[in-house]
Amino acid sequence: MLPNPLSSPDWLIAQEAEKRMKTIFQLAEELNIKEEELIPYGRYIAKIDFGKLYNRIKDNPNGKYIIVTAITPTPFGEGKSTTTIGLTQGFGKKGKKVSCAIRQPSAGPLMNIKGSAAGGGLSQCIPRNEFSIGFTGDINAVTNAHNLAMVAITSRMLHEANYPDEILKKRGLKRLDIDPKKVQMGWVIDFCAQALRKIVIGLGGKKDGVTMESRFDIATSSELMAILSLARDLRDLKERINNIVVAYSRDGRPITTKDLEVSGAMCALMLSAINPNLIQTIEGQPVFVHAAPFANIAIGQSSIIADMIGLKLSDYHITEAGFGADIGFEKFCNIKCRISELKPDAAVLVTTLRALKYHGGDRNAPKIIPGNPLPKDYFEKNIQWLERGMRNLFHHIKIIEKFGLNMVVCLNRFLTDTSEEIEFVRKSCEEIGVPLAVSEHWEKGGEGALELVELVMEACKRGSKFRFLYESRLPHISKIEKIAREIYGADSVEFSPLALDKLQSINEKKEFEDFSVCIAKTHLSLSDNPNLKGVPEGWQLFIKDILVFHGAKLIVPVAGEINLMPGTASNPNFKAIDIDLKTGRVIGI
């Protein structure tokens, strides 16, 4: 019997569940993964030898492909990961062969505000601490490979500054004439560290490097993380890493990792990371964990490889897209599905009463401040706020409908939710013909998700009419405008002169025709202003810059004030995390 989630912290529930979890060998056997296709990390965690396994199962029919998304969240999140795991456990309760794929948690949010991505209550994946802190080293591999590219370019700039062409030639080097003002990459670290957003490197003497401005981004925003998420196999991974543009020369030539002769070593550092990880829910269903890109500043998806495997091994495979449907789900459909050629069968749209009230609150509604407890007003009955907040839910329903998917709204129930409010939301969804399940997976595990499971199975049976929002041959500027109007609800798009110049240059070159548009935007609003709740009207999306990731093949319009390095709040989670000296276990996650 597991501890009651009403009175026990998540880490304690996980600790008890881990006493009776399956070995990784038993879990793999139940999933039809052979022992020689496992790369064990102890008794309860393993990597999957992707090449070996996929070669054996590639002709298996695909199971049903289910995507979990959400409405515009509060800063606390609305429980997508918990719902993904709870839904997986619910399918297990029904005796179905099921798996799910989630992203690896970044140490940035873990130590800041959002915490682990392991789920919560009685819907978690385990072993929780190992999953949350470091895991099998994939983020470290991305960090090291990324920073090696920076080592390669900064050392090359130093040698070119200190030596004439004759000496460079003797050392097997050709002058690349790198422009220090056009180095595209910065360094990465897996923390939220606002003090590192702008730095100066190369201070000191002649042997200490070229003095120039640089920066740190969070590791999960690295182009290498996007590549890990999108690569279909090892050859694809290497080709994409070869094409990463690190800088430009003084005459405008792109300088790639291949030019710097570092791409092979970067790929070597990433070699183990291409293999997805396998753990389990607290009820023993398989969970694939692979890649960790954020959805607001990157593509926000677990890997294509994890989904390819899950679909071949399971009757139902559930995957999650980051943040709301305007961000993660849009990128899942337009980018991930286009590259993978996989078509989803159904969508689950997660909402909570607190988020609906957050979007429907009046001028007197208290502000939600990251790091502080959620004000009690959002847990108290307020039909007026709820009614206004439904507009945000309806907007996200329309987003999913644009892609031709059958959906189920999942009301992730909190203990303070009243029956009257729940029935109001249910009736509002029924009136527009969208089924709603009230899910209690946090409190009751898979048993609490059975209504959701039934409705998702029905949605899968109705058949998918999946379609993309736009044709790939559409000009990139038109793609941006289409996403802004039809997904975000903007009236129009304004481009800064810098962004417009870059877009015009991109549109003139054939090499960018098959690149995907991946807008970087706040997750706290449908607009580019995090303070605008509900469904903003009469607004214009402002694109201040365009980033181009040649390896990932992404064109990234930067909307509003978005940073690739988040900041740490005044009351971060790391204050609560410690170790128990008696057991040697981590507590407080």
Side-chain angles (χ1 to χ4, degrees), residues 114-134:
K114 203 171 182 189
S116 174
L122 296 187
S123 291
Q124 301 188 48
C125 59
I126 52 175
R128 182 183 177 89
N129 287 342
E130 290 82 353
F131 166 73
S132 301
I133 301 180

Side-chain angles (χ1 to χ4, degrees), residues 238-253:
K238 185 168 185 180
E239 183 179 342
R240 288 174 181 272
I241 290 176
N242 280 341
N243 291 332
I244 292 174
V245 172
V246 185
Y248 288 88
S249 66
R250 284 185 169 86
D251 62 1
R253 289 178 294 104

Side-chain angles (χ1 to χ4, degrees), residues 228-242:
L228 181 62
S229 180
L230 295 173
R232 293 173 58 95
D233 52 37
L234 187 58
R235 183 180 297 277
D236 189 19
L237 179 79
K238 185 168 185 180
E239 183 179 342
R240 288 174 181 272
I241 290 176
N242 280 341

Side-chain angles (χ1 to χ4, degrees), residues 353-354 379 411-419 421-422:
L353 294 187
R354 73 178 187 186
F379 293 114
L411 179 59
N412 184 16
R413 185 170 189 172
F414 282 64
L415 298 175
T416 52
D417 295 351
T418 67
S419 298
E421 290 175 308
I422 291 170

Side-chain angles (χ1 to χ4, degrees), residues 14-282:
Q15 185 173 296
E16 286 300 311
E18 287 162 12
K19 293 177 181 178
R20 57 185 71 90
M21 63 180 160
K22 300 171 182 176
T23 68
I24 197 65
F25 304 103
Q26 180 186 350
L27 185 70
E29 184 179 3
E30 292 173 359
L31 196 56
N32 190 28
I33 298 174
K34 296 181 178 180
E35 190 171 333
E36 60 266 26
E37 294 161 346
L38 282 180
I39 307 168
Y41 281 63
R43 288 175 54 79
Y44 304 106
I45 299 170
K47 278 189 166 293
I48 308 297
D49 188 325
F50 163 69
K52 190 178 290 184
L53 172 63
Y54 196 75
N55 188 55
R56 177 173 67 85
I57 64 172
K58 62 186 178 182
D59 294 327
N60 291 1
N62 283 346
K64 297 295 184 183
Y65 195 20
I66 300 157
I67 173 69
V68 177
T69 184
I71 70 166
T72 307
T74 67
F76 295 89
E78 304 321 305
K80 274 197 322 302
S81 296
T82 307
T83 300
T84 299
I85 295 164
L87 179 60
T88 303
Q89 294 176 171
F91 271 105
K93 285 284 185 186
K94 298 283 288 184
K96 304 298 182 183
K97 195 170 185 182
V98 63
S99 62
C100 70
I102 59 176
R103 290 167 291 161
Q104 180 182 347
S106 160
L110 173 70
M111 298 296 176
N112 190 15
I113 294 173
K114 203 171 182 189
S116 174
L122 296 187
S123 291
Q124 301 188 48
C125 59
I126 52 175
R128 182 183 177 89
N129 287 342
E130 290 82 353
F131 166 73
S132 301
I133 301 180
F135 203 33
T136 59
D138 291 352
I139 294 180
N140 289 341
V142 167
T143 301
N144 290 337
H146 181 112
N147 288 337
L148 181 61
M150 286 301 294
V151 168
I153 195 151
T154 52
S155 61
R156 184 62 169 262
M157 292 170 70
L158 168 70
H159 298 314
E160 290 191 11
N162 289 345
Y163 302 114
D165 289 352
E166 295 77 19
I167 293 179
L168 290 175
K169 187 176 181 180
K170 285 180 181 179
R171 297 182 178 182
L173 299 176
K174 179 183 177 182
R175 185 173 296 278
L176 297 176
D177 199 24
I178 300 157
D179 188 340
K181 294 181 179 179
K182 292 182 180 178
V183 176
Q184 302 299 293
M185 292 175 68
W187 308 82
V188 295
I189 185 174
D190 194 31
F191 290 112
C192 300
Q194 55 267 55
L196 296 177
R197 287 172 181 162
K198 293 182 180 180
I199 61 172
V200 176
I201 60 173
L203 298 175
K206 186 178 179 181
K207 296 181 179 180
D208 298 314
V210 174
T211 303
M212 63 179 183
E213 290 186 358
S214 189
R215 69 182 192 276
F216 271 85
D217 300 330
I218 193 165
T220 47
S221 73
S222 168
E223 180 174 2
L224 283 163
M225 187 62 80
I227 287 172
L228 181 62
S229 180
L230 295 173
R232 293 173 58 95
D233 52 37
L234 187 58
R235 183 180 297 277
D236 189 19
L237 179 79
K238 185 168 185 180
E239 183 179 342
R240 288 174 181 272
I241 290 176
N242 280 341
N243 291 332
I244 292 174
V245 172
V246 185
Y248 288 88
S249 66
R250 284 185 169 86
D251 62 1
R253 289 178 294 104
I255 308 295
T256 66
T257 54
K258 190 173 183 180
D259 295 328
L260 293 167
E261 299 178 280
V262 72
S263 58
M266 290 170 68
C267 200
L269 287 170
M270 293 277 290
L271 184 59
S272 67
I274 196 172
N275 293 315
N277 308 287
L278 179 64
I279 53 174
Q280 62 193 281
T281 73
I282 61 174

